Amino acid sequence: MPTVDKALCMQGGFAATGRVSQQGLPLIAKTVPATNKNKKQRPLRVLLMGGIHGDELTSAAIVYRWVEGMTGPIAQSIDWRIMPVVNPDGLLAEKASRMNANGVDLNRNFPTPGWDAEAPRYWKARTRSDPRRFPGHAPLSEPESRWVEEEMRSFKPDVIISVHAPFGVLDFDGPEEPPRKFGRLLLNRVGVYPGSLGNYSGVHQNVPVITIELPNAQKMPQQAEVRRIWVDMLQWIVRNVDPRQQEAAIRSVSTSGTKR
Ligand SMILES: [Zn+2]
C-alpha cells in the first residue's frame, strides 16, 4: 500500500476476527475504546473501514495512517471499531481488484429493501452488466459483506466512515446535515445504489454513512491533507452526531415493540 509498510501495518495492532475472506485470508479489525470520557453521555461509536474495493489502495492505506495518529482529545473521546481492509482478496490479488474473489462488488451486496429485483436490474440496465459492479447472486452472499453486516450489528455504530477512491469527493447518507468539506474534499452526492453500504445503513438503518472518496487510488494525498481530512472529520462527527438521539431512537423502537 502506498506510504504504508509492513512495520506500520504491524504497529496498527489489528487482529484476526475469526472471520475469513472467500480465499481464507483473515478479516482483521480492532476496537479502540474511548479514554477521554464525558460523564454525562456514553462515547460516540464510530465504525471506520477501508479497502472494500480492493484496487483502491489509498483507501486502506489512509486508515493505517490515521490509526498511527489517533491522538488528541476528540479521537480519544470516541469508541472506535476499525476494519482497514474489508476486501483483502481484492487488495492482495496479483493485479489488485475492485471485486472480491467471487467477482462481486461488495458495495452492491448489502441487503437494501427490494434488492432481489432492483440490484440485478440496475446492474444490467444501468451499468450494462459491468463486471466491476456485479452485485452478486443474493444480498450478503459474500463472506466479506456478511462480516461487515455482523460488525454493524454487534458494534452498533452511531456513524460509519467508509473510505474509497478515486473520485475526490465526500458523499453522505443519513438524516444529519451533511459535511461540506473535509480537507480539500467537497460534498458531492454521488447517488444511491441498490445494495450499497450508504443505502443500506444510511437510508434504511438510520446509521449515517460518510463516504470519503480520495482523489487517487494509488497515490496518497500529502501528509498535511491526510491529517486535515481526519481533523475535519472528527470535528464534524462530534458536532453533528449525538449518541443520545440514537439511544432515544432505540428506546422508542423497543417501547413500541412492547406496546403491542
Ligand atoms: Zn470504491
Side-chain angles (χ1 to χ4, degrees):
M1 284 178 278
T3 75
V4 175
D5 59 10
K6 188 176 171 186
L8 185 61
C9 285
M10 300 310 287
Q11 193 187 312
F14 294 95
T17 56
R19 297 289 180 267
V20 296
S21 69
Q22 178 62 31
Q23 291 189 320
L25 292 175
L27 296 170
I28 59 170
K30 75 167 173 177
T31 303
V32 183
T35 50
N36 174 25
K37 289 193 187 183
N38 173 337
K39 287 190 183 105
K40 292 199 187 111
Q41 60 182 45
R42 68 159 173 83
L44 276 171
R45 288 192 286 263
V46 180
L47 182 65
L48 168 61
M49 66 178 91
I52 193 168
H53 289 144
D55 59 353
E56 299 169 3
L57 306 183
T58 51
S59 78
I62 201 166
V63 173
Y64 284 97
R65 297 278 303 279
W66 284 337
V67 165
E68 186 191 17
M70 272 179 69
T71 49
I74 299 184
Q76 291 170 351
S77 73
I78 291 172
D79 279 341
W80 294 92
R81 180 74 176 159
I82 307 173
M83 304 149 75
V85 184
V86 172
N87 178 9
D89 292 348
L91 185 98
L92 296 170
E94 199 164 323
K95 183 179 186 302
S97 150
R98 173 182 173 95
M99 302 80 75
N100 78 344
N102 288 330
V104 174
D105 179 345
L106 299 171
N107 202 32
R108 299 291 181 273
N109 193 239
F110 291 95
T112 49
W115 190 100
D116 292 293
E118 281 177 26
R121 189 169 61 211
Y122 187 97
W123 180 62
K124 286 183 193 124
R126 299 288 294 278
T127 80
R128 299 185 182 184
S129 305
D130 180 354
R132 289 172 47 80
R133 287 174 173 74
F134 179 56
H137 293 293
L140 298 183
S141 56
E142 305 309 304
E144 300 88 356
S145 49
R146 283 199 297 275
W147 175 56
V148 171
E149 201 271 340
E150 265 176 37
E151 291 278 351
M152 288 167 62
R153 267 190 290 135
S154 60
F155 184 63
K156 298 182 179 63
D158 298 304
V159 61
I160 296 174
I161 301 156
S162 181
V163 192
H164 289 257
F167 296 109
V169 296
L170 286 181
D171 196 1
F172 182 75
D173 296 280
E176 288 80 5
E177 180 72 22
R180 287 160 193 266
K181 191 170 185 277
F182 291 167
R184 293 180 183 184
L185 304 173
L186 301 177
L187 181 73
N188 183 351
R189 292 183 127 161
V190 187
V192 177
Y193 306 101
S196 76
L197 179 69
N199 188 359
Y200 174 60
S201 176
V203 179
H204 294 292
Q205 304 275 309
N206 234 3
V207 176
V209 178
I210 301 171
T211 300
I212 294 182
E213 280 275 356
L214 298 173
N216 192 301
Q218 276 93 37
K219 188 170 175 287
M220 283 290 276
Q222 297 289 323
Q223 168 61 21
E225 175 70 356
V226 168
R227 190 74 199 157
R228 193 71 243 169
I229 295 170
W230 173 251
V231 169
D232 289 350
M233 181 170 81
L234 291 182
Q235 287 180 347
W236 184 87
I237 289 171
V238 295
R239 285 184 192 145
N240 291 277
V241 182
D242 184 345
R244 288 167 302 184
Q245 282 176 8
Q246 301 280 344
E247 282 181 345
I250 292 163
R251 268 201 306 280
S252 76
V253 169
S254 54
T255 316
S256 64
T258 56
K259 270 182 194 160
R260 269 187 301 125

